[in-house]
């Protein structure tokens, strides 16, 4: 049997190791200087869904300042996207101002389109990595559970009758509803995505492109088992043609004409696609494999 002095010695040794571990974590965070992370949630979400995600960041990048913006939660996320862009912009700008080395954006689902609006319209932003997590960047067109819940009287084939009206454009999902069989109506009726993509005349397109290209990295994450983003390739700027055949990002007109900078980002070596199977839409931010494979390395 070991005496009290031996037990005391072991306890002191354990405490010492713990203190050194904590000191090491703080030292790494201070020396490396991880950039602050700003997280924007998706449709019907709130900041509370990112508990696991925050744990991933804290474990891999201890000491990182993470802000999950608590605005337009749940049913309020149905408000028009330009209104949400202004609200999120107002909340996020002070975080940018206090981050001399810049910040990272992680924007989930509908939040990815909100972040694009911010990046396009904010001329002096300092976003380093823009990580778009399963976001319908090229639009949405599918009979999903979300659609049935929001518009029980409609199907994807006839939702254009409502979405491309003044009333429809007051609902966020209609701001990025893109019916490949009614392109003219989409171009003329979409107040958000068609403008963001310069698919309709936009006098601010040159300035918006310049603003967007201030980012240092664009990371597009999605996968075939998402079940909500339709087609799932929209999370990587692929979308249907009028035959509902998916046209991948590099064959899209907005890429070929470099409308808002995708081709430039790729030429710079700053465009990254990360595809993962087996991940449902609501699981992207709580899947450690997604974080370790597609996100962790960009949060420096």
């Amino acid at each position: 049997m070991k005496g009290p002095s031996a037990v005391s010695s072991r306890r002191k040794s354990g405490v010492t190791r713990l203190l050194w571990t904590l000191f090491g974590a703080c030292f790494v965070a201070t020396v490396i200087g991880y950039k602050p992370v700003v997280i924007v949630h998706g449709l019907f979400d709130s900041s509370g869904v990112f508990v696991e995600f925050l744990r991933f960041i804290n474990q891999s990048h201890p000491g990182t300042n993470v802000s999950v913006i608590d605005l337009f939660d749940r049913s309020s996320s149905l408000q028009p996207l330009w209104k949400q862009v202004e609200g999120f912009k107002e909340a996020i700008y002070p975080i940018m101002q206090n981050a001399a080395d810049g910040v990272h954006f992680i924007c989930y689902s509908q939040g990815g389109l909100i972040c694009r609006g911010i990046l396009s319209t904010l001329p002096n932003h300092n976003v380093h990595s823009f990580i778009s997590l399963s976001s319908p960047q090229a639009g949405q067109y599918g009979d999903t559970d979300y659609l049935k819940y929001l518009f029980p009287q409609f199907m994807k084939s006839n939702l254009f009758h409502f979405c491309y009206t003044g009333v429809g454009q007051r609902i966020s999902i209609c701001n990025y509803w893109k019916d490949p069989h009614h392109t003219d109506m989409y171009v003329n009726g979409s107040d958000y995505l068609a403008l963001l993509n310069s698919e309709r005349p936009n006098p601010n397109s040159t300035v918006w492109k310049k603003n967007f290209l201030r980012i240092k990295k664009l990371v597009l994450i999605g996968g075939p088992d998402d079940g909500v983003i339709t087609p799932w390739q929209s999370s990587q700027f692929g979308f249907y043609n009028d035959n509902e055949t998916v046209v991948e990002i590099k064959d899209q007109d907005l890429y070929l004409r470099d409308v808002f900078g995708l081709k430039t980002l790729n030429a710079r070596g700053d465009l990254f696609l990360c595809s993962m199977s087996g991940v449902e839409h609501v699981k992207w931010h709580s899947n450690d494999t997604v974080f370790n494979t597609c996100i962790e390395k960009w949060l420096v």
Side-chain angles (χ1 to χ4, degrees):
M1 180 181 294
K2 292 182 171 60
S5 61
V7 173
S8 176
S9 177
R10 284 205 311 275
R11 285 176 178 167
K12 289 179 179 177
S13 176
V15 170
T16 300
R17 285 197 301 272
L18 176 60
L19 289 173
W20 273 109
T21 300
L22 293 173
F23 172 78
C26 293
F27 178 77
V28 167
T30 301
V31 172
I32 294 178
Y34 296 127
K35 295 176 180 64
V37 173
V38 176
I39 298 176
V40 176
H41 67 74
L43 186 66
F44 294 132
D45 279 337
S46 68
S47 58
V49 304
F50 292 96
V51 173
E52 280 294 293
F53 201 81
L54 293 176
R55 184 174 65 82
F56 298 155
I57 296 175
N58 186 55
Q59 287 179 342
S60 63
H61 297 77
T64 299
N65 181 4
V66 183
S67 301
V68 186
I69 309 302
D70 197 16
L71 283 176
F72 299 100
D73 295 351
R74 301 178 179 87
S75 61
S76 293
S77 65
L78 289 170
Q79 294 191 46
L81 288 190
W82 283 123
K83 180 178 180 179
Q84 295 194 50
V85 165
E86 292 307 311
F88 278 104
K89 192 190 298 184
E90 185 177 346
I92 292 169
Y93 191 60
I95 301 172
M96 293 181 179
Q97 288 182 307
N98 291 323
D101 296 325
V103 302
H104 299 305
F105 267 12
I106 301 176
C107 309
Y108 167 62
S109 195
Q110 178 177 277
L113 287 168
I114 293 169
C115 288
R116 267 188 70 199
I118 295 170
L119 294 170
S120 297
T121 58
L122 192 58
N124 55 347
H125 74 76
N126 59 355
V127 174
H128 193 277
S129 297
F130 170 27
I131 300 170
S132 174
L133 183 59
S134 189
S135 173
Q137 294 290 356
Q140 173 75 7
Y141 183 72
D143 286 319
T144 66
D145 289 339
Y146 282 80
L147 182 68
K148 294 170 187 173
Y149 172 75
L150 285 170
F151 307 107
Q153 72 275 35
F154 287 104
M155 298 170 54
K156 70 176 185 179
S157 59
N158 60 9
L159 186 58
F160 72 93
H161 288 296
F162 174 75
C163 271
Y164 303 143
T165 65
V167 174
Q169 287 299 298
R170 296 177 191 170
I171 299 176
S172 64
I173 189 173
C174 285
N175 291 158
Y176 50 93
W177 185 258
K178 189 173 182 179
D179 189 325
H181 306 291
H182 298 89
T183 302
D184 288 345
M185 292 185 69
Y186 156 74
V187 168
N188 293 317
S190 172
D191 292 338
Y192 190 80
L193 186 62
L195 272 179
L196 210 54
N197 288 347
S198 290
E199 292 167 304
R200 64 193 281 187
N202 177 9
N204 299 309
S205 59
T206 301
V207 174
W208 286 11
K209 179 178 179 179
K210 180 181 178 181
N211 294 343
F212 186 73
L213 284 171
R214 288 177 63 88
I215 64 174
K216 302 300 185 288
K217 307 289 179 187
L218 173 59
V219 183
L220 303 171
I221 303 169
D225 301 308
D226 182 275
V228 172
I229 306 303
T230 314
W232 74 265
Q233 292 91 339
S234 179
S235 59
Q236 298 173 344
F237 285 101
F239 204 72
Y240 294 129
N241 62 15
D242 57 6
N243 293 319
E244 294 191 34
T245 300
V246 173
V247 179
E248 301 288 352
I249 177 174
K250 290 186 179 179
D251 294 317
Q252 288 283 343
D253 181 67
L254 55 79
Y255 177 90
L256 294 170
R257 293 195 297 114
D258 202 26
V259 173
F260 56 87
L262 289 178
K263 195 172 185 179
T264 296
L265 285 168
N266 191 49
R268 277 172 22 187
D270 295 328
L271 173 63
F272 303 91
L273 276 56
C274 189
S275 304
M276 295 202 66
S277 59
V279 184
E280 297 176 9
H281 187 68
V282 296
K283 300 294 185 181
W284 287 101
H285 46 65
S286 60
N287 187 302
D288 58 352
T289 302
V290 171
F291 181 82
N292 295 334
T293 304
C294 301
I295 299 173
E296 180 182 356
K297 63 181 131 182
W298 307 114
L299 302 183
V300 295

